[in-house]
Amino acid sequence: MKRVLILASKLGYQTQAFADAAKRLGVEVSLGTDRCHKLDDPWGDGAMALHFENAEESASKIVRETMGDAPDAIVALGDRTTAAAARAACALGLSSNTAEAVEICRNKLRQRETLKLAGLPVPDFFAFALDEDISSVLTRVLFPCVVKPLALAASQGVIRANDAAEFRRAVERIRALFDQPEIRATRDGTLDRVLVERYVPGGEVAIEGLITEGRLRVLAIFDKPDALEGPYFEEAIYVTPSCLPQRTQDAIADCATRCVAALGLVTGPFHAEFRINEDGVWVIEIAPRPIGGLCSRALRFGDGGMSLEELILRHALGLGDSELARESAAAGVMMIPVPRSGIFEGVEGIEAARRVRGVEDVLITARLHDNIAAWPEGSSYLGFIFSRGDSAEEAEAALRVAHSKLNFVIRARLPVEHPVTGRITA
Ligand code: ADP
């Protein structure tokens, strides 16, 4: 029986989807997570407790604990797990990207430097330390710009600034975000620096792909039909197939292929964002991992509707059929945005939203009575709406109608005074 080790910092829906796919394939699954490193068996499910920010230590632990019983593949979910997965896979002699390649991808500054050096179209950028004098940093900034953390994901802390005052406010907001206990707990080594880059105007797409021996196969190009102009960049709708002209899609695929080579990626899932304007295709970000959250449900392959998770496992384990093409139907997913921060007290209209023609499902993933944060502090959506149709326009329209049926009840949090600084936060 083949064995796969899944590394994930959230043991949520995506991990479950991989576990389900593995079960269908008769593949044994073990898990590694860093959700609670104080316990040896955080969920009583045998998950290995790891500290992903220390990739070397995590990899050694994986090698040690799987001794004599090594997995046939390691799958990394989310950005934080990729370095540990690559190091462990290399040490175990499994097919993998090099640790160097995934570590470059993981750090937005290193990724920009590498892509720029290879002549790929990236916006001008520089990084500065949060303890630098902002007035002197400002002498280097060209507006409009985007300010972003080096290693967070899901657009958390990504802020557009159009002038010096907005820039100062954006930096303060990122500083406060870095001070939050959940972010501190990641012990990421880049939480003292910020990346600044020119704002790239234009439409945006996401690519989902699979790399085999350095060759990228594009599984889907998703259009993002909403204007993503900031100041914050939470995602909303993804639809595929893309409505862009074929030559533009080819240019995007070509740019993605060049990024794969420049970054030295050789195998496994690939997710990336690009912007397109009259100057051509611009790289926004490349990640050697599958699309996050529940979005993969928008993708099905072959006549039998194989899931992305199954396709990735088949690819990683050499089980065949990982060359299947995406189904012919158009598909869409909406990551339901958080309209404002507060306490999530419920949602009305789910059944009405589910009844909308073309809608396949509506899933609310926010937990009742939990605090939810809007962007840029936030990084989790309220839930997901899935649709299918004869065309991408149809799939998109179904998502919008379904979303209009939902009414989220979000209660304002009472302001809290910090016991030491006296700062009031809502
Ligand atoms: P994350 O990894 O947190 O998602 P990204 O760097 O991919 O961070 O940025 C998130 C989103 O912010 C992008 O999908 C894009 O919409 C927007 N964005 C980021 N950088 C730029 C830029 N230089 N110009 C325009 N938009 C940008």
Side-chain angles (χ1 to χ4, degrees):
M1 192 188 229
K2 295 262 190 189
R3 267 190 298 263
V4 64
L5 171 64
I6 298 174
L7 301 189
S9 49
K10 286 186 194 165
L11 294 187
Y13 293 94
Q14 194 180 25
T15 320
Q16 190 60 50
F18 271 94
D20 292 345
K23 200 165 161 195
R24 261 194 312 278
L25 288 169
V27 169
E28 195 182 305
V29 179
S30 53
L31 300 170
T33 184
D34 68 348
R35 277 303 287 275
C36 183
H37 53 94
K38 293 209 175 64
L39 300 175
D40 279 332
D41 186 5
W43 281 267
D45 54 10
M48 199 187 300
L50 299 168
H51 226 315
F52 294 127
E53 277 354 298
N54 191 337
E56 215 174 307
E57 188 191 288
S58 295
S60 308
K61 184 162 182 189
I62 292 169
V63 172
R64 232 176 18 250
E65 297 208 357
T66 60
M67 194 85 81
D69 198 19
D72 299 284
I74 302 181
V75 174
L77 306 185
D79 295 294
R80 296 188 43 233
T81 62
T82 51
R87 281 177 185 266
C90 291
L92 292 168
L94 306 174
S95 158
S96 168
N97 289 310
T98 62
E100 169 74 357
V102 299
E103 277 161 15
I104 289 172
C105 292
R106 167 91 180 107
N107 180 310
K108 291 182 204 282
L109 173 62
R110 291 187 69 195
Q111 180 176 137
R112 283 276 183 255
E113 287 167 346
T114 305
L115 293 177
K116 186 179 176 184
L117 204 64
L120 277 141
V122 293
D124 287 339
F125 62 91
F126 71 92
F128 67 93
L130 279 172
D131 60 7
E132 275 178 58
D133 171 41
I134 290 288
S135 301
S136 63
V137 172
L138 269 166
T139 59
R140 303 170 63 193
V141 182
L142 292 173
F143 294 105
C145 71
V146 173
V147 192
K148 55 172 95 163
L150 264 50
L152 296 187
S155 307
Q156 190 176 28
V158 179
I159 306 175
R160 172 177 171 168
N162 296 313
D163 56 38
E166 286 184 9
F167 184 86
R168 285 177 188 275
R169 277 200 295 276
V171 173
E172 281 321 303
R173 225 159 155 171
I174 294 175
R175 195 195 300 277
L177 179 65
F178 286 173
D179 269 346
Q180 290 184 3
E182 314 86 80
I183 304 281
R184 288 222 162 276
T186 63
R187 292 201 231 158
D188 188 281
T190 64
L191 295 179
D192 53 352
R193 296 183 83 198
V194 174
L195 182 65
V196 186
E197 48 191 46
R198 286 305 298 271
Y199 172 78
V200 180
E204 186 165 318
V205 297
I207 282 198
E208 196 64 17
L210 205 48
I211 307 169
T212 310
E213 292 173 9
R215 186 180 49 83
L216 174 69
R217 178 164 84 94
V218 174
L219 302 175
I221 299 182
F222 285 101
D223 286 346
K224 304 187 184 187
D226 292 310
L228 295 165
E229 292 172 347
Y232 317 125
F233 296 92
E234 63 190 334
E235 307 264 22
I237 292 180
Y238 274 38
V239 279
T240 193
S242 171
C243 299
L244 291 168
Q246 191 56 49
R247 69 182 141 61
T248 310
Q249 295 190 41
D250 292 345
I252 296 166
D254 179 58
C255 184
T257 298
R258 289 170 55 212
C259 290
V260 166
L263 293 164
L265 297 172
V266 291
T267 191
F270 169 93
H271 180 83
E273 329 281 342
F274 298 89
R275 283 198 168 210
I276 301 102
N277 59 29
E278 60 279 10
D279 296 327
V281 177
W282 294 83
V283 187
I284 297 295
E285 199 181 30
I286 309 290
R289 54 148 177 90
I291 191 169
L294 285 172
C295 294
S296 66
R297 291 197 189 178
L299 296 174
R300 288 184 197 145
F301 301 87
D303 294 335
M306 185 187 288
S307 67
L308 177 67
E309 290 79 14
E310 182 171 337
L311 194 85
I312 290 172
L313 288 178
R314 284 179 173 277
H315 181 263
L317 294 163
L319 297 177
D321 275 351
S322 64
E323 289 294 315
L324 288 180
R326 201 186 72 77
E327 65 179 348
S328 55
V333 52
M334 180 177 199
M335 291 157 250
I336 306 173
V338 179
R340 62 188 170 281
S341 300
I343 311 290
F344 172 54
E345 296 291 12
V347 53
E348 293 149 7
I350 297 184
E351 285 316 314
R354 283 202 179 116
R355 280 197 300 270
V356 172
R357 196 162 164 266
V359 166
E360 294 205 324
D361 207 356
V362 178
L363 286 168
I364 304 303
T365 45
R367 277 194 313 214
L368 213 55
H369 312 307
D370 252 12
N371 189 32
I372 47 161
W375 271 251
E377 285 78 18
S379 62
S380 294
Y381 296 89
L382 288 167
F384 300 82
I385 308 173
F386 301 94
S387 68
R388 277 194 164 67
D390 291 334
S391 67
E393 288 86 351
E394 236 179 77
E396 179 189 336
L399 295 175
R400 293 197 194 279
V401 175
H403 185 237
S404 73
K405 309 266 179 210
L406 297 174
N407 178 28
F408 288 92
V409 183
I410 296 168
R411 185 164 51 85
R413 277 196 302 163
L414 293 176
V416 180
E417 186 178 336
H418 192 280
V420 180
T421 62
R423 212 164 67 194
I424 308 280
T425 47

